[in-house]
Amino acid sequence: MPRTVHLAVYDTLADWETGHATAWLARSGFTVRTVGTAADKPVTTIAGTRILTDLSLDDLRPEDSAMLILPGADLWDAGDDLAPFAAAARRFLDAGVPVAAICGATAGLAREGLLDDRAHTSAVSFYLAATGYAGGEHYVDTDAVTDGDLITAGPTEPVAFAREVLGKLGAFDGAKLDAWYRLFHDSDPAAFEELNA
């Protein structure tokens, strides 16, 4: 399996949503590369942080990746500018390569038809219902959902999102994954020792 994870980046990206996942993937030996509409083109996050893209979306190939991570962004609800990223998610899922989407990116996947037949979550069910998608019966009101190769989460659940990503890619498993989650979600001091044992 490739050890490169691709993080989609675009203007208005929600900074807080993928930091736990990407940082701990990197600490676990994965390489995180940014992918945008064009290589070497900077994007500006909601916080005003500028990120330089490593790779163009046109050059992104599922076979070169362990996972595609799609953060939320205001642009997911402001038109079709990010639709090419949802189309890339389709290519990844069709190739059997995992996709993880949080917040507004779940609406992009809904518009692409990728949530019609998969268990999923988001901010709230009526947010996705507003897209006109056909997957409402598969909506699960929980922190994060993994269905096969697809992970979804709402905007207030970056730690649960990261737990699913880290588990899916085997960065942590079993007791270590549980300890990681208890440390960062529950602030359980005992989990620190378990994680670093």
Side-chain angles (χ1 to χ4, degrees):
M1 180 177 81
R3 298 287 290 178
T4 299
V5 173
H6 289 93
L7 172 66
V9 295
Y10 20 73
D11 287 333
T12 73
L13 178 151
D15 306 65
W16 64 92
E17 294 177 343
T18 61
H20 282 287
T22 55
W24 286 93
L25 286 171
R27 292 187 77 166
S28 299
F30 287 85
T31 299
V32 179
R33 296 192 69 206
T34 57
V35 58
T37 55
D40 298 324
K41 178 184 176 189
V43 300
T44 304
T45 71
I46 287 175
T49 302
R50 289 171 49 91
I51 298 173
L52 192 62
T53 58
D54 294 319
L55 182 70
S56 165
L57 192 56
D58 290 340
D59 295 326
L60 178 65
R61 302 177 337 149
E63 59 267 31
D64 297 332
S65 186
M67 177 180 280
L68 174 62
I69 299 176
L70 300 170
D74 292 343
L75 288 179
W76 282 111
D77 297 320
D80 295 329
D81 287 353
L82 300 186
F85 290 92
R90 178 178 292 283
R91 290 193 304 277
F92 268 62
L93 291 170
D94 287 349
V97 179
V99 171
I102 187 169
C103 188
T106 62
L109 298 188
R111 290 184 197 99
E112 182 68 20
L114 296 174
L115 304 183
D116 289 351
D117 300 311
R118 294 175 171 95
H120 60 276
T121 194
S122 184
V124 288
S125 61
F126 56 83
Y127 171 65
L128 291 184
T131 68
Y133 84 131
E137 66 186 278
H138 300 291
Y139 186 88
V140 182
D141 189 14
T142 192
D143 297 345
V145 172
T146 298
D147 185 342
D149 286 325
L150 180 64
I151 296 167
T152 52
T156 61
E157 299 300 335
V159 177
F161 180 70
R163 177 194 60 207
E164 300 303 303
V165 168
L166 297 171
K168 182 70 177 174
L169 293 181
F172 297 120
D173 57 12
K176 288 272 190 192
L177 184 60
D178 177 65
W180 182 90
Y181 185 71
R182 285 189 291 112
L183 179 61
F184 288 98
H185 186 266
D186 304 329
S187 301
D188 179 356
F192 180 82
E193 292 184 15
E194 293 174 43
L195 184 60
N196 292 289

